[in-house]
Amino acid sequence: MIPATLSYRRASSVDEALGMLAEHGEDAKLLAGGHSLLPLMKLRLAAPEVVVDIGRIEELRYVRTEGDVVAIGAMTRHHDLHTDGVAGREVPLVAHVAGEVGDPQVRHRGTIGGSLAHGDPAADLPAAVLACDATLVARGPDGAREIPAAEFFAGLFTTALGPDEILTEIRVPRAADRGWGFEKFTRRRFDWSIVGVAVLGGSPTQPAVGLVNMGEAPIRATAVERALAAGATPAEAAEHAAEGTSPPDEPHASAGYRRHLATVLTARALERAAGGSPAGL
Amino acid sequence: MSMMGTRVVRTEDHKLITVGGSYVDDLREPDLDGAVHAMFVRSPVAHARVTAIDSREAARAPGVVAVLTAADLDLDPPGGDHAEPWLAGDAVRYVGQPVALVLTERRYQLADAAELVDVDYDPLPAVIDLDDALAGTTLLFPGTDSNVAKTHGKPFDESAFDGCEVVVTRRIVNQRVAPAPLEVRGAACAWGADGRLTMWLSTQNPQLARDAIAGGLGLDPTAMRLIAPDVGGGFGAKIGADPDPVVLGWAARHVGRPVRWSETRSENLTAMTHGRGQQQTITIGGSRDGTVRAFGLDVVQDGGAYPRLGTTLLPGMTTLMATGTYRIPRVEAYSRSVLTTTTPTAAYRGAGRPEATAAIERAMDLFATEIGMDPAEVRRRNLIGPDEFPYQTPTGATYDTGEYAAALDRVLAAADYDGLRAEQTRRRAAGDPVVLGLGLASYVEITAGDAGGESGRMTVEPDGSVTAWTGSSPHGQGHATSFAMVLADQLGIPMERITVRHGDTDEVAKAVGTFGSRSLQLGGSAMRQAGDEVIEKARQLAAEAVEASVDDIELNTDDGAWQVRGAPSGAISWAQLAARAGDGALSADVWYSDAKPTFPFGAHLAVVEVDTGTGKVVLRRLIAVDDAGPVVNPLAFEGQRHGGLAQGAAQALLEEMTYDADGNPTTGTLADYEFISATELPDFELLDMATPTTLNPLGVKGIGEAATIGSTPAVQNAVVDALSHLGVRHVDMPAGPQRVWQAISDANRRV
Amino acid sequence: MRVTIEVNGRRTEEEVEDRTLLVHHLRDTLGLTATNIGCDTTSCGACTVLVDGESVKSCTVLAAQADGAAVTTVEGLAEGETLHPVQQAFQDHHGLQCGFCTPGMIMAAVSLLEANPRPTREDVRTGLEGNLCRCTGYHNIVDAVVAASGQEVPR
Ligand SMILES: Cc1cc2nc3c(=O)[nH]c(=O)nc-3n(C[C@H](O)[C@H](O)[C@H](O)COP(=O)(O)OP(=O)(O)OC[C@H]3O[C@@H](n4cnc5c(N)ncnc54)[C@H](O)[C@@H]3O)c2cc1C
Ligand code: FES
Ligand code: FES
């Protein structure tokens, strides 16, 4: 299938893109890597009249350390993030998860910005970004603002971004000395997660646990985090992984099965995070 | 030296790896210049009365040439009971059924216009569950009294199990799957000034397709030329022709322009026929010493909405092959094909036989577990012995040759079965959350079961090269290479000088084509017979040329030289003979009709690991003997086995076409349908074994489907075996993680 | 809009509808039909080509997005009569049957070897996870890619 008729605009800077959004208003949709948007458009589940291509904005493709954080440009592609030396060293959880998204071709096109902005509860990177307590930077007509990851994901395919805003940067606290674990459960290796669990362990805070596909939006497993803080062992804490979640109920993966998976995978991710870090959990 | 049995690189490949094949959608034939593009509007609902179709808005969309519905068609309806209409008239019976045809100037206008066709559907109850379908509360065809469209065998006689010490019975599912060749269906057609229709169609059988399409259009078959260009896989679902190309041929005449059509994958997954789809009740009885005395197979075949091969023929293959490789005196095999509001079922790699093998092989394991005997041992005790052939089964098949126990022993040895069992025990004892499972399957299947013939024609050109035509039109199997090898071996003419052509009904008017693993045994035998005839003609000519007695003339197959026995000097070449014979005289055109089914067999062993925490199954090893007699080209032979193993494992672990209760497909895109990929498969371990048949001149049996048939139950049995210590006795296919986890949870709850 | 793409080393400049997918641009506008379409959900990889040296699924890229880029399809791999090592290995190891997945599979393999010149068999399997093949069961494809990397293929 092919997308409905559209008009294509390419922006070469964020300012230009903001201008195009302002010009076309509701009719326009940003196009980053296109690997969530184009599949929807091909099936005619989305039909924007104008697409504003921001995927080639060079100023949004970078990974660099800035003090305590690693700043990732929103148009950084999964593959580039996965293989980036700085990311691999300083924010290994995020770099690793970028390499678990889809298949190589998808990773050559899809971007972290697109992945987060899409607000898909089944996407992997949101859970990692949540677990890392990252900060998301958006630019709109009124300038830039910072949004904590915990406040970014609002619901099914909805985020804190306004229609006139562009996600420009993801600021991830450096965590080279912290253990981490990521468990992605799929039937075929390249499938979307049935359930996924991202854990960032160690000091300075308690381990943080992000869940993939356990609700309408990417979420933190707060019950697990609370239990750990209260002194539970990782195995005990993992039992709480499904608390407060509302996972999708589908024929090949019921909500009940997903709840079960969440506990098993959380236990494994916690274990891995403990093993991977000299400081332990 | 003969090249038979050597690894010959395919002559087909060069084009495919450099400029790509010429699949239907790639064709740029001048005859298709100015073609309009076609897209079917398909039913989005499972079962409904069609009360109105409004195509006015669609007709006004950019580039629209025509929007055609059943009301426009002036063709006779298709023949046969409850046949699917060319385009839906007053009712639709499955999601994906064609309702209208949109024709546009350009490809990109199709979907825009198709969206605008407004069809009113007045919903009727969907019939999805097979028990509901049998109950017949909702009938698909008013005026009938049942949804059962066909039966095979005779109803079950419970007394067959009288006197058995042990009887185990179980209801199991052989699920519906999508054949999903990587090339979807496509066609292109153009009417000539002479009133003849030329159609390019992605089909396994150009001649059968021509006959069906010409029939539908009310044409004499000679008024039609059908060409199968390169075909991107078929697996049974491209046998002959579906109704769609009939509509295309008609539309091309209606609008007076060539037409091109290529469906989308999402259309393909619901509109191309599905395979398998059986609910089976298996009953096995015997004694505690491991002897099986009776087997029962009661099948409910899901026919889908309109009877196709899945309804009419394939369950008969299942009942025929019910007893597999075993000597079982009493057999009850019965099948009812029932219609449901789903995509019609037809052939898919194995077509009726995998269902039989899955049933008996599951039954053998259930029986073994019940009597506490190793599954390999139970099998060994019941296998038909090598001295019992030809073996007449109680269901009426006559197995030609077999070495069933030898095949089994080979896989057991190659796998280190005892070592694996020890490892399994060790892991269980250690409480390892990842458990090991070993699954066996011993199988026999029937190839060339259609007992039709096949055509073969060849001519030695004046330059000594050969052009040959086969009726066996391939779609990836590499016939051009294999058949050239057969002729090269026979004629002593180098392969490079032999061109094998196929797929054009103007070049080969009469043929059957490729399905049922029939190609080499029938098409190859036809080639051989044509070669024999040409050799005899050549011998006459050579005798005349050298003025010797025919009996003294021999062909040196090393270099293709004709000579007087023992006198290589003065030899005559094929080119000289062809020149002498005159234009095209050194030719033969045969119909190989001495076609009897053969029975390839084998044994497979699968090793799986099951993560008891999540239910995830990982296939670690797949070890196979697939004995189809002597091998012409091991490269192609192994390729067929690899592909079969993968598709078999895919059915066991991943693939299933599912519907919700309203009849909406829930796996109707390739994002949802779990088509197996490289990461879910291990390297395959192939063992060689070749037991010839006496039923054809090449001694060969079919290999196209064999490996699919063995691997499915081997993998499924491995999954169950992995969990047997927990009390799990059966897990339906596909053994996806949720289902496996459920089985583990249920077992734990029982404990 | 007007798109300029260097395809297999040749500069092309064409006027296309904005919504044109790269795969249709290659096949229908430029007549390069080796690249196939096997699905409508970005699942099969039959349409894989290289864009600026990296494998992408050309059914999920607008031609407009590739404006100014260099695209390589299987038609551009061989140097005259000399096959690319991956092409040669696919033939030698019978890594194809119907050939429909093959152009995309070969391009994915080329990209894989670019990133990982000496892959293990497991690496090859995961590296080709975005490409489906219905015919070969993948075994010989893995053989072919390992062989193309200059490593021994166990037999
Ligand atoms: C076959 C396949 C498999 C996949 N598997 C996975 C998987 O396993 N796990 C996973 O996580 N993902 C998966 N994906 C999705 C993939 O990661 C996408 O690349 C990603 O979700 C979206 O990124 P993109 O750059 O392609 O965004 P696009 O598709 O271009 O955009 C997505 C949405 O975000 C908006 N948007 C994009 N960028 C911005 C921005 N900077 N500011 C504001 N809004 C923006 C767009 O308007 C659009 O609505 C898969 C995709 C495919 C096609
Ligand atoms: S055509 Fe299937 S991924 Fe592009
Ligand atoms: S060779 Fe046929 S799909 Fe791969």
Side-chain angles (χ1 to χ4, degrees), chain A residues 1-5 41-45 47 183-192 194 249-261 263-265 268, chain B residues 39 107-109 111-112 115 264 266 433 611-616 653-655 658 666 669-677 679-680 734-739 741:
Chain A
M1 285 277 284
I2 39 103
T5 302
M41 290 168 62
K42 286 171 68 181
L43 297 176
R44 307 269 168 126
L45 299 171
E183 292 288 327
K184 174 170 178 167
F185 191 77
T186 58
R187 292 186 66 181
R188 296 171 301 178
R189 194 182 177 285
F190 63 100
D191 278 333
W192 290 81
I194 292 174
D249 195 16
E250 292 167 323
H252 71 281
S254 68
Y257 178 53
R258 283 192 161 97
R259 287 196 190 94
H260 165 76
L261 285 177
T263 62
V264 173
L265 301 177
R268 290 179 187 177
Chain B
M39 176 181 259
R107 188 196 296 276
Y108 270 34
Q109 295 161 335
D112 301 346
E115 277 184 339
T264 66
S266 299
D611 178 343
T612 52
T614 61
K616 179 143 177 160
L653 294 177
L654 288 162
E655 297 186 15
T658 51
T666 49
T669 76
L670 208 45
D672 301 306
Y673 187 76
E674 298 271 332
F675 188 125
I676 199 160
S677 82
T679 46
E680 282 57 64
Q738 173 171 261
R739 184 170 279 157
W741 170 73

Side-chain angles (χ1 to χ4, degrees), chain B residues 148-321:
Chain B
V148 176
K150 172 102 182 160
T151 63
H152 293 90
K154 57 178 188 346
F156 225 68
D157 177 0
E158 296 287 346
S159 72
F161 298 93
D162 289 354
C164 285
E165 212 177 332
V166 178
V167 177
V168 193
T169 188
R170 186 111 208 174
R171 191 157 130 163
I172 67 176
V173 173
N174 202 287
Q175 83 274 23
R176 173 188 281 262
V177 292
L182 212 61
E183 185 208 17
V184 296
R185 294 177 305 164
C189 61
W191 290 86
D194 56 358
R196 264 186 112 216
L197 173 65
T198 301
M199 182 176 285
W200 292 262
L201 180 71
S202 186
T203 178
Q204 301 176 207
N205 316 78
Q207 292 76 12
L208 301 188
R210 173 203 56 199
D211 294 351
I213 296 165
L217 293 170
L219 298 174
D220 189 89
T222 56
M224 191 174 165
R225 175 182 185 189
L226 196 136
I227 301 169
D230 287 328
V231 174
F235 310 108
K238 289 180 184 168
I239 291 178
D242 288 334
D244 314 56
V246 174
V247 180
L248 298 170
W250 175 84
R253 187 165 59 194
H254 186 76
V255 299
R257 304 211 4 216
V259 171
R260 326 184 57 118
W261 169 65
S262 178
E263 67 184 352
T264 66
R265 173 61 65 188
S266 299
E267 277 182 279
N268 172 268
L269 284 172
T270 55
M272 177 184 248
T273 51
H274 293 158
R276 317 276 191 265
Q278 290 187 358
Q279 192 171 283
Q280 305 173 327
T281 304
I282 51 177
T283 310
I284 186 164
S287 41
R288 295 210 168 267
D289 67 359
T291 313
V292 177
R293 303 193 182 281
F295 177 60
L297 174 60
D298 192 357
V299 173
V300 183
Q301 166 74 49
D302 185 348
Y306 299 95
R308 299 281 294 265
L309 284 181
T311 296
T312 56
L313 191 73
L314 305 186
M317 288 291 193
T318 309
T319 51
L320 179 72
M321 298 306 293

Side-chain angles (χ1 to χ4, degrees), chain A residues 42, chain B residues 670, chain C residues 23 36-48 57-60 130:
Chain A
K42 286 171 68 181
Chain B
L670 208 45
Chain C
V23 70
N36 289 319
I37 301 173
C39 74
D40 46 7
T41 50
T42 323
S43 312
C44 75
C47 62
T48 301
K57 294 178 175 177
S58 62
C59 69
T60 311

